Amino acid sequence: MVTAKQQKAVLVTEIGKPVELGTRDIPTPGEGQVLVKVTATMILPHDTYGRDWGLLVEDRLPAVLGNNVAGVIDEVGPGVGFKVGERIFGISGNVAASSDQAGLQEYAILNADAIAHIPEGFSDAAVASLPINLVTSAAVLFTKTGFDMPAPYLPRKDFDCATASVVIVGGGTNVGQLAVQLASLAGVGKIIVIAGTSNSAKLQAMGATHFIDRHSSSAEMVKQIHAITGPENATQVYSCAPLDVDLVIGLLPKDKPSTLKTLLPFEGDEEEQLGASLPLCKFAFVHDLTNASLAPNAAQFWAKVPEYLRTEKLLPADFQVVHGLDDVSGINNALDQYRDFSRAGAQTVVLI
């Protein structure tokens, strides 16, 4: 039974087991926070890792998943410029000590510097497809965590993006598409995308300057990319798909600093291979980026996102829908699809 001060929530109660429907207290916003009546949240691969491996949640069971949140502000804490009743979307704190900041529940806390107004004409479900993929790609491209290029919302004069290049592997993924769009917004001169040919026209319309067929051999992809950048200038790789170690080792220079960021965990001896072959490469599995990764400029970032949406410089991802927290079977099925690598294209938004 749900009491007046409690809410429905979908919970991880045991690592490696299906999520379950339960209840938990409705939280209260603190300074710089808002309480949101959640209307939509998106399930993402790291939510599967949380359910199955305990990623980011094992120390706070029972835990709520879901970091992309859209909804209506129900209450505001001190020092907040947003107002009750406004439609907003944003990213929750996926490394927070409690599940108060998570989407698979009726009410969630969000930090005011991690949200934006939903532009007119956009559904809550559509904007819920954006936050964590958007923040992840922005952090990889524009902060010292990643490539440290000048952000379009915070231009710098010490770096000419027009002379820069980036290789985005898995550009057809939702996070890859957002990386292409953000790199284009920043004016990156060579945005080289590896993806399936069915995504070629779409990615080039989003801003990709060069397209490489992912079905090509690693050696052929290296040859094509080096023809674009020169052998010594392909130094930044953002892998949004399963890592191709042979591609990376062939692509990045051996005697020059380079950076590799991958969104999937390293397997087997991949880290040892990379370390031995590319001693000057800074490589990392990116799994813990939060809004704080954009500090101290997170608020500036979110203030610009509605404009990018209105002007179609950023496009929401494709998604499919699960209706309601009561459909726990549908939520577990969506998580299973990430586990089994059986998902093609659309991710899952849960409407609440």
Side-chain angles (χ1 to χ4, degrees), residues 98-295:
S98 78
S99 287
D100 291 348
Q101 292 204 26
L104 281 173
Q105 55 189 338
E106 293 178 288
Y107 292 87
I109 297 291
L110 293 179
N111 295 331
D113 68 350
I115 62 176
H117 291 107
I118 300 175
E120 186 176 350
F122 287 82
S123 70
D124 292 12
V127 295
S129 73
L130 291 168
I132 200 159
N133 284 337
L134 190 58
V135 166
T136 296
S137 286
V140 168
L141 292 173
F142 304 134
T143 74
K144 295 183 185 300
T145 300
F147 305 147
D148 198 25
M149 295 178 175
Y153 52 89
L154 198 72
R156 299 192 331 240
K157 294 183 178 180
D158 63 335
F159 191 111
D160 183 6
C161 274
T163 65
S165 63
V166 61
V167 178
I168 301 171
V169 184
T173 63
N174 288 328
V175 67
Q177 290 177 30
L178 287 169
V180 171
Q181 293 171 80
L182 287 170
S184 180
L185 272 167
V188 174
K190 295 174 182 175
I191 305 170
I192 305 163
V193 178
I194 299 174
T197 54
S198 62
N199 286 308
S200 175
K202 180 179 183 179
L203 288 165
Q204 291 182 73
M206 288 178 169
T209 61
H210 300 81
F211 180 86
I212 309 292
D213 182 1
R214 70 179 179 87
H215 296 293
S216 304
S217 68
S218 298
E220 178 60 27
M221 287 190 280
V222 168
K223 180 180 178 182
Q224 290 183 51
I225 294 169
H226 281 173
I228 298 165
T229 64
E232 295 299 311
N233 296 320
T235 59
Q236 299 180 132
V237 175
Y238 181 22
S239 183
C240 307
L243 188 66
D244 182 340
V245 173
D246 291 336
L247 169 66
V248 172
I249 291 174
L251 185 62
L252 296 177
K254 307 294 187 293
D255 55 359
K256 186 175 181 179
S258 60
T259 305
L260 164 67
K261 298 297 179 180
T262 176
L263 299 186
L264 277 77
F266 294 107
E267 297 182 353
D269 65 349
E270 289 177 340
E271 289 180 277
E272 288 76 13
Q273 290 183 61
L274 290 167
S277 300
L278 300 169
L280 299 182
C281 179
K282 295 189 296 182
F283 57 87
F285 162 44
V286 178
H287 66 281
D288 57 355
L289 294 182
T290 67
N291 197 62
S293 304
L294 301 178

